[in-house]
């Protein structure tokens, strides 16, 4: 990975919300929404230096550029969004370690991550946002806020799970919010909305109107009714 510091963010003991694209695109939908609603400013970038594929443009190839931005607004640091995850385990771990390094540099006490939670339950208009944390004590505190905890034991893979492990190792409070999805191959805007509303409750932040997500969810519903073929 190549890391580039663009500027120094004007923050004091901020929260970090960090997530990458995952099933149902939940992680990047949430991050991109928050960046837009908060009008965040980039201050650091992480670029992949490993190749896992090339793009054939019809007679010639191009090298894909994959990377993710750190952005800030008031006392928030937002990392990730966009598309993709690191293509190698080495880059995945390097990226997690960099987020932890940024957290320590700016005296972050809480790291939040978000993503999709695949379920067999029939989901209607309001998917649940399930929560897991880096300690039993923290979970007990959150239970007082009337939130839904992850209902079963599971393995959380990729950046949106591993970052919680790195937070725990480095004695930083970590909270994961995972929105229910029943179809991982389709963008899940309602799951993202559920997470955003729960994040507002936990962080005392206001991320603005989520009407845009309602519109996008309705558009997906319309496509599915017209026998839309998902591009895998």
């Amino acid at each position: 990975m190549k890391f580039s510091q663009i500027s120094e963010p004007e923050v004091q003991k901020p929260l970090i919300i960090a997530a990458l694209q995952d099933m149902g695109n939940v992680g990047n939908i949430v991050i991109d929404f928050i960046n837009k609603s908060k009008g965040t400013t980039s201050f650091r970038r992480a670029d992949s230096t490993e190749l896992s594929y090339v793009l054939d443009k019809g007679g010639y190839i191009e090298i894909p550029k994959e990377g993710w931005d750190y952005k800030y607004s008031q006392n928030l640091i937002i990392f990730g969004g966009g598309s993709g995850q690191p293509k190698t385990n080495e880059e995945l771990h390097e990226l997690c370690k960099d987020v932890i390094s940024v957290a320590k540099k700016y005296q972050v006490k809480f790291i939040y991550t978000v993503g999709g939670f695949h379920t067999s339950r029939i989901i209607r208009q309001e998917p649940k946002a399930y929560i897991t944390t880096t300690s039993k004590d923290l979970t007990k505190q959150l239970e007082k806020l009337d939130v839904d905890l992850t209902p079963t034991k599971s393995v959380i893979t990729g950046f949106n799970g591993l970052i919680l492990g790195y937070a725990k190792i480095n004695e930083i409070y970590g909270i994961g919010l995972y929105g229910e999805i029943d179809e991982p191959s389709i963008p899940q805007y309602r799951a993202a909305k559920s997470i955003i509303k729960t994040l507002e409750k936990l962080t005392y932040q206001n991320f603005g109107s989520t009407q845009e997500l309602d519109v996008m969810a309705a558009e997906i519903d319309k496509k599915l009714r017209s026998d839309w073929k998902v591009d895998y």
Side-chain angles (χ1 to χ4, degrees), residues 96-200:
C96 287
K97 290 176 182 177
D98 190 67
V99 172
I100 296 299
S101 177
V102 169
K104 290 182 176 180
K105 179 178 180 180
Y106 300 108
Q107 298 180 292
V108 169
K109 300 299 183 185
F110 281 89
I111 294 177
Y112 293 82
T113 190
V114 302
F117 183 93
H118 194 194
T119 179
S120 58
R121 189 176 80 88
I122 298 175
I123 301 174
R124 302 301 182 186
Q125 293 295 310
E126 296 184 6
K128 292 183 178 181
Y130 291 116
I131 292 176
T132 192
T133 81
T134 50
S135 75
K136 290 181 179 179
D137 289 340
L138 181 55
T139 296
K140 288 180 180 179
Q141 293 180 41
L142 294 184
E143 284 180 316
K144 300 174 184 178
L145 298 177
D146 189 29
V147 296
D148 294 299
L149 303 179
T150 47
T152 60
K153 295 180 180 180
S154 64
V155 175
I156 310 173
T157 59
F159 177 89
N160 304 345
L162 202 58
I163 190 61
L164 290 180
Y166 272 100
K168 186 178 181 74
I169 289 170
N170 288 275
E171 300 182 342
I172 299 172
Y173 293 118
I175 299 176
L177 296 88
Y178 303 99
E180 280 187 306
I181 64 172
D182 53 8
E183 180 46 78
S185 63
I186 297 172
Q188 299 286 345
Y189 293 97
R190 291 190 181 94
K193 176 183 174 180
S194 180
I195 289 172
I196 289 165
K197 293 301 182 183
T198 306
L199 268 175
E200 287 183 326

Side-chain angles (χ1 to χ4, degrees), residues 79-98:
F79 172 75
S83 62
Q85 292 227 8
K87 296 299 189 292
T88 67
N89 281 331
E90 290 77 13
E91 285 206 334
L92 174 59
H93 286 273
E94 195 174 353
L95 193 57
C96 287
K97 290 176 182 177
D98 190 67

Side-chain angles (χ1 to χ4, degrees), residues 52-73:
S52 60
Y53 65 94
V54 296
L55 300 172
D56 185 352
K57 306 296 287 188
Y60 66 97
I61 64 102
E62 287 187 354
I63 305 297
K65 295 182 180 179
E66 292 188 315
W68 304 274
D69 290 316
Y70 290 86
K71 299 184 178 184
Y72 76 95
S73 174

